[in-house]
Amino acid sequence: MARTTMWKAVVAAGAALVFTGMAAVPAGAAEGGVAFSRVSVNGGKPIVIGVKDVVEVHATFRMTTTLRYDSGVWVFPYRGTTENMDTMQNAMIGSDCKVVDRAKGICDFDEWLYFDPRHIDVGNEDAGTWRTAGRVSFPGDSQDVDDVNIPVQIQRATRLTVNASPEPVATGKTITVSGRLTRANWDTHTYQGYAGRTVSLQFKPVGASSYKTVRTAVSSTTGSLRTTVKATGPGTWRWTYYGNSTSGASSSGGDHVATQPRVLHSAFPRVMHSM
């Protein structure tokens, strides 16, 4: 059963262009006569959603048809089949046709999809790989819905914290770096500890432009992270998680640690001279 939220949509700037001089498709006509191409959803990047904020995603596509059609031409992520689908977006805004070739019925479109993690239909099971469909409606309530063969990853957002201590530290001494990895829970609308994940500890020396991975650690049952390293010089420490098919990538903020020269003590006792 398709979700009712799918068509809670608004069309910007009027109706889509109708190519005149062509016969309209009669009600109940079979699909066909429409091609979707050059489809891009979120620039090919995963759609990462937290627990509160509505996420806006930009999509672009081309549609080719010489059939008359109604306003509202869409591409969107779906699961199931084109005849019986689930979708996740809660609203869509589409542009008018940008004519590429009027005689051939070629139009380019822009579109904005909105994902609200607080909507009743959104749950943790929705994270993962979705397919992409294109849809156009014709006069008389018929439509064409096509799979455009583009996967879309929809992911639960992750967060990381970091703390490196002591600060400052003597060069060569041990630094303890801790933190916590949490993941958006769309069922409870909170961030919860994400256990059993391999997370990279990274360091950027003073004067460097990028971080390098020093070692990895696995998050505990509560998402906690903890490891020790030797201080080689001043710089900034952070944790980075690279994500998976259901969970987004994230990095913590950086924690800068200054270093001090190591004080060497003489092995010989100090001799006191009497006068």
Side-chain angles (χ1 to χ4, degrees):
M1 186 75 177
R3 292 181 178 173
T4 57
T5 53
M6 177 177 176
W7 305 122
K8 189 187 296 180
V10 195
V11 181
L17 179 68
V18 175
F19 290 96
T20 59
M22 304 296 174
V25 176
E31 292 185 354
V34 178
F36 292 90
S37 61
R38 302 191 181 190
V39 178
S40 174
V41 179
N42 204 35
K45 302 186 296 295
I47 299 170
V48 182
I49 304 170
V51 300
K52 182 177 67 173
D53 295 335
V54 175
V55 175
E56 180 186 81
V57 171
H58 182 227
T60 58
F61 61 96
R62 173 169 290 182
M63 185 182 73
T64 302
T65 186
T66 54
L67 302 172
R68 294 176 58 132
Y69 58 91
D70 290 336
S71 61
V73 182
W74 314 107
V75 296
F76 50 89
Y78 81 100
R79 280 177 172 172
T81 68
T82 54
E83 293 80 22
N84 184 19
M85 60 174 57
D86 282 343
T87 72
M88 188 176 171
Q89 73 282 350
N90 306 111
M92 296 183 285
I93 298 176
S95 73
D96 288 339
C97 161
K98 302 172 186 176
V99 179
V100 177
D101 188 319
R102 183 177 295 273
K104 294 180 180 179
I106 302 175
C107 283
D108 284 341
F109 293 88
D110 282 283
E111 176 184 298
W112 293 264
L113 302 98
Y114 297 88
F115 298 82
D116 186 350
R118 298 164 299 180
H119 195 278
I120 191 170
D121 281 339
V122 178
N124 292 333
E125 70 279 2
D126 292 316
T129 303
W130 293 65
R131 299 161 73 181
T132 306
R135 178 188 186 272
V136 58
S137 295
F138 303 113
D141 296 327
S142 62
Q143 63 180 7
D144 184 289
V145 183
D146 296 336
D147 185 302
V148 298
N149 196 32
I150 294 177
V152 175
Q153 293 298 128
I154 298 181
Q155 299 175 333
R156 296 158 63 180
T158 62
R159 289 178 172 177
L160 277 163
T161 61
V162 65
N163 182 61
S165 63
E167 304 175 51
V169 64
T171 302
K173 290 293 186 178
T174 297
I175 297 174
T176 299
V177 186
S178 59
R180 187 168 184 241
L181 174 66
T182 56
R183 180 171 62 157
N185 186 321
W186 294 336
D187 295 328
T188 62
H189 308 118
T190 59
Y191 280 88
Q192 297 179 341
Y194 195 15
R197 301 293 102 186
T198 298
V199 184
S200 297
L201 177 64
Q202 299 181 323
F203 180 64
K204 182 172 69 173
V206 168
S209 59
S210 60
Y211 284 88
K212 291 185 177 180
T213 297
V214 175
R215 64 179 52 185
T216 60
V218 176
S219 58
S220 72
T221 55
T222 61
S224 295
L225 298 160
R226 184 181 178 88
T227 191
T228 57
V229 290
K230 296 293 184 182
T232 57
T236 304
W237 296 90
R238 75 175 185 185
W239 293 104
T240 291
Y241 176 58
Y242 289 102
N244 57 44
S245 62
T246 62
S247 307
S250 62
S251 292
S252 69
D255 190 4
H256 180 80
V257 175
T259 56
Q260 298 174 330
R262 190 171 180 178
V263 177
L264 299 177
H265 298 282
S266 172
F268 300 99
R270 183 178 179 183
V271 178
M272 301 296 293
H273 297 279
S274 58
M275 296 298 294

